[in-house]
Amino acid sequence: MAEARATPPRDFHHPYTPYDIQIRFMNAVYDCIEGGNIGIFESPTGQSVADIINQFPIAEKTDIVDQELYGKSLSLICGSLTWLREHKRKKFEEDLLEVGDANNNNNGKDVGEEPDWIIEHAKEQRRQTVLRRKADVEARLSRIREREKRQRERFEKAGEPPARKKLKGERDVLLSLSGEEQDGDGAQYLLEDYHSEDEGLSGTKAKPVDDGLSAETKELMAKLGMNVIETKEEEEEPEHEDEIKFIHELRRVKMPPALSTAVEPASPDHDALMEEEFKHLTLGSRKNLCINPKVSKLGSATAINERCLDLQQPGTAKESKCPYIPTKENEVLVNDFRDHTLARVRDIEEMGNLGKKIGICPYYGTRSTIKPSEKSAREALGICLKGHIVIIDEAHNLMDAIANIHSVGVSLKQLQRGRTQLTIYLQKFRNRLKGTNRVYVTQLVRLLDSLSGFLQTTRSRSRESMVNMSDLMAGKGVDQINLYKLMRYLQQSKLARKVEGYCAHAEEETAAVSCSSKDGKTSSLRAEKERTIPVLTHIQSFLLALTNCSAEGRIFYSLSEDNNDASLKYMLLDPTHHFRDVVEEARAVILAGGTMSPMSDFMNHLFSYIPTIRIKTLSCGHVIPAENLIACPISKGPGGQEFEFTFEKRNSQVMIDDLGRSILNLCLVIPDGIVVFFPSYAYLEQVVRRWGSRPPSATGSKSLWERMSQHKQIFQETKDKGSRIEETLSRYADAIDAGRGGLLLAVIGGKLSEGINFSDRLGRGVIVVGLPFPNIHSAEWKAKLEHVEKVAFERTLSTATATVNESTNKSKSATQATTAAAAAAAAAAAGAKKEAAREFYETACMRAVNQSIGRAIRHRNDYACILLMDRRYENQRIREKLPMWIQKGMVVGKENGSVNGGGRSFADVMGRLSAFFRAKR
């Protein structure tokens, strides 16, 4: 009997020798995409610099000594691009088969099969046509790469960057932007006549929402394949360090071409065709890509968007338009930008620099690149994902991110400033506004007064609460306002943009007059600061959320911590519906992260409608050997005090003191750096104050803080926005390098709990104090848990009722049994909703914990201890929500299989830690 032929392992063309778990990860990515499934993958793997260096000859080592590789992201790249390469090859072969079938059918005429040589000739012609087209593109891009290389070498020798030739009319535009050529009458800010098709004017239709682009620009964009897209307010983008790291890793991957080529080795195009060139396009907001200095300096994303669109209004004079926008005059530059974008993989900063060098707006220029990248503009911008693959790295906070995108708040101060701006605008233009405009502006004023009145009244009664829509519309005459018609008016008339534009213009004139006064500089700076806050546009976003209130959304009121301001917030409670379109359109969706546990949250709340068989999960172990990790809950301190840092008990001074003595003792056995995570900034400050106080009974004795400082230099994370976290980390690292050791006090969910890697000596010990459960008594969390309970109850009851009905159909006489079954179904649904709420609440807590403890142990040779200081970590429900690689390293006691020996002393824990680090010396 012949042996079954084993499937050869896939070659993922990983730039380094991957670990076994990285091979598992890449295979899981490949299989998930191939099967069109949903993947939730967790991989804490990474490779140290030493691992990378040992894989290269001596001559190459100096080029990579300072480079760090994050194994998970690179594995995602290799796994997905390998599938894409194979898919491309298979599609090409299928097309060739279709060519053969077409020749056999002879255009539908049944005249017998064509000879094999004719079919093969047709296939070869098709192959050569495709390869020739590919060679032409790659040759053009190769010449651009060579030109860029020569330019870079020339500029490096010269010691100065290239100077871009100033475009015609640019100075005029910059003067206009600086306010030197404004229309003194302010006519450009006057509202145009508005006619809604619901206002009874036959034959007059509402004007479509303007995207701010001139007809000339739209014509050129269409010609270049740049579809005109409806403009939306863009969110403030986070720092793009992760995107730069991703680009850095993508450049490492080299793959052979998916299509074999017949190009001769002597051909100049041979090298280009022997390697698959990836077409990567970085898309960003105007805030990150604007190269017009007078616009980009506004700072706020909303302010930059509004100013950019103002400069593209159809009625704007040609000399006042932005000089970087695509026009017929600079079409050659647009094409040049497109080719340079495709020539090599660029990050968002390089995209901006390229735009400056060529003189073309990168924001609009990238849209011209989308078509050659084999995607339409709408697809690339997320409007159509049919058949595409969506991979989201660092997806542990995906559900919160989706909820935040669709949530918006507005403060009392913003409402009052918006009201003030409207008053200034009406003082100038009231007599020039015609009927419909005047009606809608008056309605907006009344609505703002109603919202402000609600906040002023409520702030004296409570700190926070859930709000009904009717409470916000209680102002005089507000109940007669049609919010949907008002929002349509605001969008079509661009009232917010015109009001803010006029107010900024008026402030500039005031500032110019004040320049001659003593405090003129201060007034000018104040006007500049206020001009960058387009508050009416923000208020419009909040009102839009109110008109689109979904069943999963709620409105909340809250008072600021300093009691100086109150705010309203529309919050999305459930992101399922908003992510469902992506899941249903895409071929496959993969969520990946270093700490995705607990995964049940994604399955129960983000993919609850997906059949379980389509959801693929993978939790990779760590690359470290088992002896490089010790994880241990500590339920008691050296004084025997039980640790339970619940909200009700954590203020105990006895427990805080024993916590301090525990950390003091741990400083004696854990070398180098220790990072301690606390549940909140407020509790950290409370603990630090207690440790800094000296015992009143012992004269001359040192405080716990002073005693800790004798063994390790202490650093503390603060909530202050002005604090420089980079400086704190630098001083912490310097103390460790100097041999003093460091103790870093941080906060779960704070700036140090995500994105910072405490590898090697920076994190020999990670300590988590308590469990950071959210405030279950807050209005927002009450609403979240109520929603989770409602969904779980309805889902369970629906399933149980369907089962009961099926039984009833089979046995119609069993009425009594059916009634009992229905009652049991209701009871099961009631139990399920409580369990779902508890699971959701615990998962929110443990995801934050997992993200914090994942900061340590970043590569194979790293080692550390992870200490969880709270007796609740001995609970099986809590332990099961830790990442699998930490659960495997958990120290388990002898009594009933409990951790910490069902009451093992703190001395035993100290002994284990001493032996662990002694073995590492």
Side-chain angles (χ1 to χ4, degrees):
M1 186 175 180
E3 294 184 2
R5 184 175 297 177
T7 304
R10 297 186 181 108
D11 185 356
F12 291 102
H13 301 281
H14 198 286
Y16 312 109
T17 304
Y19 301 134
D20 290 341
I21 58 174
Q22 290 175 319
I23 295 175
R24 280 182 59 210
F25 189 90
M26 290 186 288
N27 275 307
V29 171
Y30 188 103
D31 293 337
C32 181
I33 298 174
E34 180 66 20
N37 294 317
I38 309 298
I40 307 173
F41 301 149
E42 178 181 66
S43 175
T45 61
Q47 283 180 291
S48 67
V49 174
D51 290 337
I52 301 172
I53 291 176
N54 291 335
Q55 298 181 25
F56 287 86
I58 297 296
E60 299 180 15
K61 292 182 180 180
T62 55
D63 296 333
I64 56 173
V65 168
D66 295 327
Q67 296 178 358
E68 183 177 1
L69 175 66
Y70 298 90
K72 168 177 57 63
S73 298
L74 192 56
S75 298
L76 275 173
I77 292 171
C78 292
S80 57
L81 290 184
T82 297
W83 179 89
L84 187 62
R85 175 177 171 272
E86 289 297 309
H87 179 73
K88 182 178 179 180
R89 180 183 58 79
K90 290 177 183 177
K91 290 291 292 181
F92 181 65
E93 291 175 353
E94 290 174 1
D95 289 344
L96 292 181
L97 288 176
E98 291 178 3
V99 172
D101 293 341
N103 278 274
N104 277 332
N105 293 333
N106 197 18
N107 297 324
K109 298 178 181 178
D110 189 10
V111 294
E113 293 188 358
E114 293 281 2
D116 291 343
W117 67 270
I118 292 181
I119 296 175
E120 290 301 321
H121 178 71
K123 288 182 179 180
E124 185 61 25
Q125 274 190 324
R126 178 67 178 271
R127 182 192 300 274
Q128 291 302 323
T129 299
V130 172
L131 291 176
R132 196 179 306 112
R133 190 182 303 124
K134 181 174 185 290
D136 291 343
V137 173
E138 293 301 334
R140 187 174 77 249
L141 298 182
S142 180
R143 289 192 293 271
I144 292 175
R145 295 186 198 105
E146 286 299 319
R147 187 163 69 247
E148 284 190 351
K149 182 179 178 182
R150 290 193 300 269
Q151 288 177 345
R152 189 163 54 250
E153 291 173 350
R154 185 167 65 252
F155 294 137
E156 286 175 357
K157 290 179 181 179
E160 59 182 11
R164 183 183 66 83
K165 183 181 292 186
K166 187 164 289 191
L167 299 176
K168 180 181 178 181
E170 180 175 348
R171 181 180 178 277
D172 296 334
V173 174
L174 296 184
L175 287 174
S176 175
L177 285 170
S178 63
E180 294 178 25
E181 294 186 2
Q182 294 286 354
D183 186 351
D185 186 38
Q188 67 269 35
Y189 304 113
L190 180 63
L191 290 169
E192 297 177 7
D193 292 346
Y194 177 79
H195 301 295
S196 168
E197 50 183 337
D198 293 332
E199 301 298 331
L201 298 176
S202 59
T204 306
K205 292 188 176 181
K207 295 166 67 175
V209 178
D210 188 13
D211 51 26
L213 300 176
S214 66
E216 180 188 35
T217 298
K218 290 178 183 178
E219 180 184 351
L220 178 62
M221 291 175 71
K223 181 179 178 182
L224 296 173
M226 302 161 63
N227 292 355
V228 180
I229 301 156
E230 179 181 348
T231 304
K232 297 182 180 179
E233 181 180 352
E234 298 172 46
E235 298 290 331
E236 292 279 354
E237 293 192 6
E239 294 296 328
H240 39 264
E241 293 179 1
D242 289 338
E243 184 265 341
I244 294 176
K245 290 178 182 177
F246 173 83
I247 297 298
H248 181 69
E249 294 185 11
L250 182 59
R251 288 170 180 161
R252 300 175 187 269
V253 181
K254 308 294 180 185
M255 289 190 178
L259 308 180
S260 59
T261 176
V263 178
E264 295 295 329
S267 169
D269 301 329
H270 178 267
D271 292 340
L273 293 175
M274 286 297 99
E275 181 180 303
E276 189 76 28
E277 291 291 343
F278 305 120
K279 304 299 186 295
H280 173 274
L281 180 62
T282 300
L283 295 176
S285 68
R286 290 180 177 87
K287 183 176 186 295
N288 280 332
L289 290 177
C290 178
I291 60 174
N292 191 324
K294 293 294 183 179
V295 177
S296 60
K297 76 172 186 177
L298 296 177
S300 163
T302 306
I304 291 174
N305 293 341
E306 294 299 314
R307 183 61 65 89
C308 176
L309 295 178
D310 279 340
L311 295 176
Q312 298 309 310
Q313 288 301 305
T316 305
K318 183 177 180 180
E319 62 274 9
S320 298
K321 290 182 179 291
C322 178
Y324 304 99
I325 205 72
T327 63
K328 290 183 179 180
E329 294 178 0
N330 58 22
E331 183 177 349
V332 174
L333 297 180
V334 176
N335 291 329
D336 194 28
F337 179 88
R338 179 190 61 199
D339 291 343
H340 277 77
T341 303
L342 293 176
R344 67 183 183 90
V345 176
R346 300 175 190 271
D347 59 43
I348 197 166
E349 291 181 354
E350 292 171 330
M351 202 72 75
N353 293 334
L354 178 64
K356 291 178 182 177
K357 175 183 174 183
I358 296 177
I360 282 294
C361 172
Y363 177 80
Y364 288 108
T366 48
R367 272 63 184 168
S368 69
T369 312
I370 291 171
K371 190 173 182 180
S373 297
E374 299 176 358
K375 294 182 182 180
S376 72
R378 296 181 67 84
E379 288 173 336
L381 296 179
I383 299 173
C384 177
L385 294 170
K386 191 68 175 178
H388 288 277
I389 302 156
V390 178
I391 300 177
I392 303 176
D393 198 3
E394 301 298 340
H396 55 278
N397 284 334
L398 176 63
M399 289 191 291
D400 290 338
I402 296 172
N404 290 337
I405 288 172
H406 294 90
S407 302
V408 60
V410 64
S411 69
L412 176 59
K413 290 182 178 179
Q414 288 175 322
L415 290 170
Q416 291 172 336
R417 175 164 171 76
R419 178 67 165 83
T420 302
Q421 287 184 341
L422 278 172
T423 302
I424 295 172
Y425 183 81
L426 288 174
Q427 287 174 349
K428 175 70 176 178
F429 298 105
R430 182 187 301 274
N431 296 329
R432 298 164 67 180
L433 293 180
K434 295 189 178 179
T436 309
N437 281 322
R438 184 175 297 182
V439 168
Y440 280 119
V441 172
T442 303
Q443 287 183 358
L444 180 59
V445 170
R446 287 182 178 177
L447 183 56
L448 296 188
D449 288 343
S450 181
L451 296 176
S452 299
F454 172 83
L455 288 176
Q456 289 172 330
T457 304
T458 310
R459 67 187 299 180
S460 61
R461 296 202 302 262
S462 63
R463 293 199 62 84
E464 63 171 6
S465 63
M466 195 159 66
V467 179
N468 293 322
M469 187 70 174
S470 58
D471 296 333
L472 302 180
M473 307 291 285
K476 181 179 179 182
V478 177
D479 58 338
Q480 304 297 319
I481 295 176
N482 186 323
L483 263 183
Y484 295 94
K485 291 175 67 175
L486 177 60
M487 286 309 303
R488 184 172 61 185
Y489 168 77
L490 293 177
Q491 290 173 331
Q492 295 177 2
S493 68
K494 306 181 199 66
L495 173 66
R497 191 186 305 169
K498 290 182 178 293
V499 170
E500 287 160 351
Y502 174 72
C503 290
H505 171 58
E507 288 167 357
E508 285 175 349
E509 288 185 338
T510 304
V513 172
S514 301
C515 281
S516 59
S517 63
K518 186 176 181 180
D519 60 344
K521 186 175 181 180
T522 304
S523 301
S524 179
L525 291 174
R526 187 185 301 116
E528 178 68 26
K529 181 179 179 181
E530 291 180 346
R531 191 167 61 250
T532 64
I533 308 174
V535 65
L536 266 180
T537 302
H538 182 75
I539 294 173
Q540 181 176 325
S541 300
F542 176 75
L543 297 178
L544 182 62
L546 296 186
T547 61
N548 291 307
C549 254
S550 64
E552 300 84 16
R554 299 290 185 275
I555 305 171
F556 299 94
Y557 154 83
S558 64
L559 191 63
S560 62
E561 293 182 2
D562 58 6
N563 297 330
N564 287 331
D565 201 6
S567 62
L568 291 168
K569 179 181 180 182
Y570 170 79
M571 188 174 76
L572 182 69
L573 301 179
D574 187 353
T576 305
H577 173 72
H578 291 276
F579 197 62
R580 186 166 184 164
D581 291 341
V582 174
V583 174
E584 292 181 344
E585 287 191 12
R587 175 192 177 100
V589 175
I590 295 176
L591 310 184
T595 51
M596 296 295 289
S597 297
M599 296 183 183
S600 59
D601 212 20
F602 295 99
M603 292 184 282
N604 294 337
H605 300 287
L606 197 60
F607 304 123
S608 58
Y609 55 92
I610 299 293
T612 308
I613 194 172
R614 278 199 63 203
I615 302 177
K616 309 299 179 182
T617 62
L618 176 68
S619 181
C620 292
H622 213 295
V623 294
I624 59 170
E627 60 270 17
N628 279 19
L629 169 68
I630 179 172
C632 182
I634 299 179
S635 60
K636 294 182 180 180
Q641 175 66 37
E642 187 173 65
F643 291 146
E644 186 175 2
F645 295 93
T646 62
F647 186 78
E648 294 78 12
K649 298 180 179 180
R650 68 183 186 182
N651 295 326
S652 167
Q653 294 185 354
V654 175
M655 188 166 64
I656 293 175
D657 289 344
D658 217 16
L659 171 65
R661 286 189 289 269
S662 299
I663 294 177
L664 174 61
N665 280 275
L666 293 170
C667 287
L668 300 176
V669 296
I670 302 176
D672 302 319
I674 302 176
V675 185
V676 186
F677 288 102
F678 288 80
S680 67
Y681 288 103
Y683 191 61
L684 171 58
E685 292 171 1
Q686 178 184 345
V687 169
V688 168
R689 282 195 303 270
R690 176 63 186 174
W691 288 349
S693 61
R694 296 186 178 184
S697 57
T699 305
S701 62
K702 295 182 179 179
S703 66
L704 278 169
W705 184 272
E706 291 171 327
R707 293 164 65 188
M708 290 180 195
S709 300
Q710 290 179 326
H711 300 285
K712 293 187 185 294
Q713 189 171 345
I714 305 177
F715 304 89
Q716 180 183 348
E717 177 184 358
T718 62
K719 193 176 182 179
D720 182 16
K721 292 183 179 180
S723 62
R724 292 183 57 81
I725 201 68
E726 297 85 0
E727 183 179 342
T728 301
L729 288 173
S730 177
R731 291 170 51 218
Y732 172 68
D734 290 343
I736 294 171
D737 290 340
R740 281 212 58 192
L743 179 64
L744 181 58
L745 308 180
V747 174
I748 297 174
K751 290 167 283 191
L752 294 175
S753 65
E754 294 193 32
I756 306 295
N757 296 327
F758 296 103
S759 59
D760 299 309
R761 297 177 65 195
L762 294 177
R764 291 300 182 209
V766 173
I767 301 173
V768 179
V769 178
L771 288 107
F773 282 108
N775 182 6
I776 198 171
H777 301 295
S778 70
E780 291 186 6
W781 266 95
K782 282 182 180 178
K784 282 184 178 181
L785 295 178
E786 286 175 2
H787 178 74
V788 170
E789 288 182 349
K790 177 185 175 184
V791 172
F793 181 84
E794 292 174 350
R795 186 186 305 148
T796 306
L797 186 62
S798 175
T799 303
T801 301
T803 304
V804 171
N805 292 338
E806 185 179 350
S807 302
T808 303
N809 293 333
K810 292 180 179 179
S811 178
K812 295 184 179 180
S813 60
T815 306
Q816 187 174 357
T818 302
T819 303
K833 76 173 188 177
K834 294 297 182 185
E835 176 62 23
R838 180 182 180 185
E839 184 74 12
F840 183 79
Y841 189 56
E842 290 176 350
T843 297
C845 167
M846 290 307 297
R847 177 160 288 115
V849 170
N850 293 341
Q851 190 63 22
S852 296
I853 60 183
R855 298 304 90 211
I857 311 185
R858 305 302 297 178
H859 58 82
R860 183 177 60 188
N861 298 322
D862 206 353
Y863 61 91
C865 66
I866 295 174
L867 307 176
L868 309 172
M869 306 191 78
D870 196 300
R871 73 169 188 84
R872 291 172 291 175
Y873 283 109
E874 295 184 354
N875 187 307
Q876 185 69 20
R877 288 181 60 97
I878 298 297
R879 286 169 51 198
E880 288 176 347
K881 292 178 173 62
L882 290 167
M884 189 58 64
W885 64 275
I886 294 180
Q887 292 185 46
K888 291 179 179 178
M890 194 76 74
V891 176
V892 181
K894 298 179 181 179
E895 299 180 19
N896 302 322
S898 67
V899 182
N900 207 19
R904 179 181 285 124
S905 67
F906 183 80
D908 290 334
V909 177
M910 290 287 292
R912 285 180 176 271
L913 292 176
S914 297
F916 174 79
F917 286 107
R918 193 162 50 245
K920 300 301 177 186
R921 292 175 184 169

